[in-house]
Amino acid sequence: MNTEEKLMKCLGCVKEKTGFEPKVALILGSGLGGFGKKIDARAIVEYKDIEGFPISTVLGHEGRFIFGYVEGVPIVAMQGRVHYYEGYAMSDVVLPTRLMGLLGAKALLLTNAAGGANFSFRPGDFMLIRDHIASFVPSPLVGRNIDSLGTRFPDMSHIYDEELCSAIRKTAAENAIHLQEGVYLQLTGPQFETPAEVRMCRALGADALGMSTACEAIAAHHMGMRVCGISCISNLACGMSSTPLTHAEVQETADRVSTQFTKLVAKSIAAIGQILD
Ligand code: HPA
């Protein structure tokens, strides 16, 4: 089965389970799945019940779509995403993103836990993603182009929608939430970077490092969704602090700031919903 056939099969399977039409798609990052409680859920679809769907194996990542309302806006949230380092092809990693677009979501709000490479960042900061560097991971668009989704050679000069970025900025300011801004760089993982790699990434212009997000942004932008993203800086990248990095630290920080994160994401969804009206 090719990528398009697989996507359409998964789409059909989800549509059989719910007719809910989301306006905004949300991907919840490592340790940020607690946002699920904020959703006035109308339907839940477990990834394992979608035939052919890639399933996340990472601790701290549940595996389901939650359909429902946040601040009155119809959304679909992914509680648990799939990562390239789990061994899936990049086309499978972005299948859920494309599926949410085909279900009707006009905008995608990406979240993740990321390592800070910028010396002015602190663990627990939030960073609005202004642009990304995806050159270290395979493109999700490799392979036969799915013409029904988008063009073979899509422009990437404005992946992160300026109007949505402004709405998130404004939302953070109104709620007295400090918001950093910067460039997200995606690496394959699963190992954290070496200090030399972190220096390289910083020299290339990266402010935050992670193992997701940019591929999903590319796939969503390719099919015409409006994209925005927020990183939770869960730790300083390797070599920037004296303690070794662990996945537990990533989760601990996400837990510590989850109340603020929930507020920022919920209010941002409300603002994005208004823009899409
Ligand atoms: N590097 C890469 N990915 C990450 C990190 C990091 O330091 N923290 C959370 N995700």
Tab-separated table of all heavy atoms in Angstrom, residues 30 113-116 184-185 187 191-193 209-211 232 234-238 245 250, ligand 1:
chain	number	residue	atom	x	y	z
A	30	SER	N	5.835	15.658	24.524
A	30	SER	CA	6.268	14.871	25.685
A	30	SER	C	5.865	15.522	26.988
A	30	SER	O	6.189	16.687	27.230
A	30	SER	CB	7.798	14.761	25.721
A	30	SER	OG	8.258	13.885	24.771
A	113	ALA	N	8.366	19.238	23.770
A	113	ALA	CA	9.375	19.533	24.776
A	113	ALA	C	10.693	19.608	24.018
A	113	ALA	O	10.956	18.774	23.161
A	113	ALA	CB	9.411	18.423	25.816
A	114	ALA	N	11.492	20.618	24.305
A	114	ALA	CA	12.722	20.804	23.542
A	114	ALA	C	13.857	21.231	24.461
A	114	ALA	O	13.632	21.763	25.548
A	114	ALA	CB	12.499	21.865	22.467
A	115	GLY	N	15.067	20.976	24.003
A	115	GLY	CA	16.239	21.436	24.742
A	115	GLY	C	16.587	22.849	24.307
A	115	GLY	O	16.573	23.156	23.114
A	116	GLY	N	16.883	23.697	25.260
A	116	GLY	CA	17.252	25.067	24.922
A	116	GLY	C	18.710	25.138	24.484
A	116	GLY	O	19.593	24.633	25.175
A	184	TYR	N	13.456	26.354	15.828
A	184	TYR	CA	13.479	24.969	16.322
A	184	TYR	C	14.259	24.117	15.340
A	184	TYR	O	14.042	24.193	14.127
A	184	TYR	CB	12.036	24.466	16.436
A	184	TYR	CG	11.886	23.027	16.875
A	184	TYR	CD1	11.738	22.706	18.217
A	184	TYR	CD2	11.873	21.985	15.950
A	184	TYR	CE1	11.584	21.389	18.635
A	184	TYR	CE2	11.727	20.660	16.358
A	184	TYR	CZ	11.578	20.376	17.696
A	184	TYR	OH	11.419	19.067	18.107
A	185	LEU	N	15.160	23.308	15.839
A	185	LEU	CA	15.925	22.423	14.958
A	185	LEU	C	15.596	20.981	15.294
A	185	LEU	O	15.660	20.586	16.455
A	185	LEU	CB	17.423	22.703	15.110
A	185	LEU	CG	18.378	21.942	14.183
A	185	LEU	CD1	19.610	22.791	13.868
A	185	LEU	CD2	18.805	20.607	14.783
A	187	LEU	N	16.314	16.995	15.099
A	187	LEU	CA	17.323	15.943	14.901
A	187	LEU	C	16.593	14.605	14.985
A	187	LEU	O	15.457	14.548	15.458
A	187	LEU	CB	18.393	16.044	15.995
A	187	LEU	CG	19.168	17.360	15.968
A	187	LEU	CD1	19.620	17.751	17.357
A	187	LEU	CD2	20.347	17.280	15.017
A	191	GLN	N	19.117	9.551	20.864
A	191	GLN	CA	20.127	10.037	21.823
A	191	GLN	C	20.078	11.561	21.874
A	191	GLN	O	19.772	12.204	20.869
A	191	GLN	CB	21.536	9.556	21.419
A	191	GLN	CG	22.203	10.301	20.259
A	191	GLN	CD	21.664	9.891	18.887
A	191	GLN	OE1	20.725	9.133	18.768
A	191	GLN	NE2	22.269	10.418	17.832
A	192	PHE	N	20.320	12.113	23.042
A	192	PHE	CA	20.461	13.560	23.128
A	192	PHE	C	21.767	13.945	22.429
A	192	PHE	O	22.622	13.103	22.162
A	192	PHE	CB	20.473	14.010	24.595
A	192	PHE	CG	19.130	13.856	25.281
A	192	PHE	CD1	18.978	13.014	26.378
A	192	PHE	CD2	18.012	14.556	24.836
A	192	PHE	CE1	17.738	12.873	27.010
A	192	PHE	CE2	16.773	14.422	25.448
A	192	PHE	CZ	16.641	13.579	26.541
A	193	GLU	N	21.930	15.226	22.163
A	193	GLU	CA	23.081	15.700	21.414
A	193	GLU	C	24.344	15.677	22.292
A	193	GLU	O	24.276	15.710	23.510
A	193	GLU	CB	22.857	17.141	20.944
A	193	GLU	CG	21.613	17.352	20.130
A	193	GLU	CD	20.321	17.267	20.931
A	193	GLU	OE1	20.313	17.714	22.099
A	193	GLU	OE2	19.333	16.726	20.409
A	209	LEU	N	16.191	22.557	20.455
A	209	LEU	CA	16.474	21.300	19.763
A	209	LEU	C	15.487	20.221	20.172
A	209	LEU	O	15.170	20.078	21.353
A	209	LEU	CB	17.893	20.804	20.130
A	209	LEU	CG	19.023	21.830	20.093
A	209	LEU	CD1	20.342	21.166	20.471
A	209	LEU	CD2	19.136	22.463	18.709
A	210	GLY	N	15.025	19.471	19.193
A	210	GLY	CA	14.080	18.409	19.515
A	210	GLY	C	14.055	17.329	18.457
A	210	GLY	O	14.847	17.347	17.507
A	211	MET	N	13.149	16.383	18.652
A	211	MET	CA	13.113	15.190	17.803
A	211	MET	C	11.765	15.032	17.092
A	211	MET	O	11.351	13.924	16.759
A	211	MET	CB	13.395	13.949	18.663
A	211	MET	CG	14.693	14.044	19.466
A	211	MET	SD	14.862	12.704	20.642
A	211	MET	CE	16.236	13.312	21.648
A	232	CYS	N	8.083	23.794	24.776
A	232	CYS	CA	8.338	23.941	26.205
A	232	CYS	C	9.817	23.596	26.388
A	232	CYS	O	10.246	22.477	26.064
A	232	CYS	CB	7.452	22.960	26.985
A	232	CYS	SG	7.935	22.826	28.713
A	234	SER	N	12.341	22.178	28.132
A	234	SER	CA	12.319	21.291	29.299
A	234	SER	C	13.678	21.214	29.981
A	234	SER	O	13.767	20.796	31.137
A	234	SER	CB	11.868	19.896	28.871
A	234	SER	OG	12.665	19.444	27.809
A	235	ASN	N	14.707	21.578	29.275
A	235	ASN	CA	16.069	21.474	29.817
A	235	ASN	C	16.984	22.342	28.966
A	235	ASN	O	16.627	22.705	27.844
A	235	ASN	CB	16.544	20.007	29.734
A	235	ASN	CG	16.454	19.463	28.307
A	235	ASN	OD1	15.389	19.026	27.863
A	235	ASN	ND2	17.540	19.545	27.586
A	236	LEU	N	18.141	22.636	29.501
A	236	LEU	CA	19.151	23.263	28.644
A	236	LEU	C	19.849	22.132	27.911
A	236	LEU	O	20.049	21.049	28.456
A	236	LEU	CB	20.133	24.075	29.489
A	236	LEU	CG	19.533	25.344	30.114
A	236	LEU	CD1	20.583	26.102	30.907
A	236	LEU	CD2	18.936	26.254	29.034
A	237	ALA	N	20.196	22.367	26.652
A	237	ALA	CA	20.790	21.305	25.836
A	237	ALA	C	22.127	20.869	26.438
A	237	ALA	O	22.732	21.581	27.248
A	237	ALA	CB	20.955	21.790	24.400
A	238	CYS	N	22.564	19.705	26.007
A	238	CYS	CA	23.739	19.057	26.591
A	238	CYS	C	24.965	19.984	26.577
A	238	CYS	O	25.218	20.675	25.594
A	238	CYS	CB	24.026	17.799	25.785
A	238	CYS	SG	25.143	16.737	26.618
A	245	LEU	N	21.577	14.689	31.021
A	245	LEU	CA	20.163	14.792	30.613
A	245	LEU	C	19.435	13.463	30.738
A	245	LEU	O	19.995	12.421	30.441
A	245	LEU	CB	20.122	15.172	29.132
A	245	LEU	CG	20.055	16.644	28.823
A	245	LEU	CD1	19.979	16.839	27.316
A	245	LEU	CD2	18.822	17.211	29.480
A	250	VAL	N	12.940	15.889	31.353
A	250	VAL	CA	12.049	16.484	30.352
A	250	VAL	C	10.609	16.459	30.873
A	250	VAL	O	9.885	17.463	30.832
A	250	VAL	CB	12.160	15.710	29.011
A	250	VAL	CG1	11.105	16.160	28.012
A	250	VAL	CG2	13.561	15.869	28.416
B	1	HPA	N1	17.522	17.620	22.826
B	1	HPA	C1	16.709	17.071	21.911
B	1	HPA	N2	15.436	16.811	22.149
B	1	HPA	C2	14.948	17.144	23.346
B	1	HPA	C3	15.738	17.722	24.331
B	1	HPA	C4	17.112	17.971	24.067
B	1	HPA	O1	17.870	18.498	24.888
B	1	HPA	N3	14.927	17.931	25.413
B	1	HPA	C5	13.702	17.494	25.061
B	1	HPA	N4	13.703	17.023	23.808
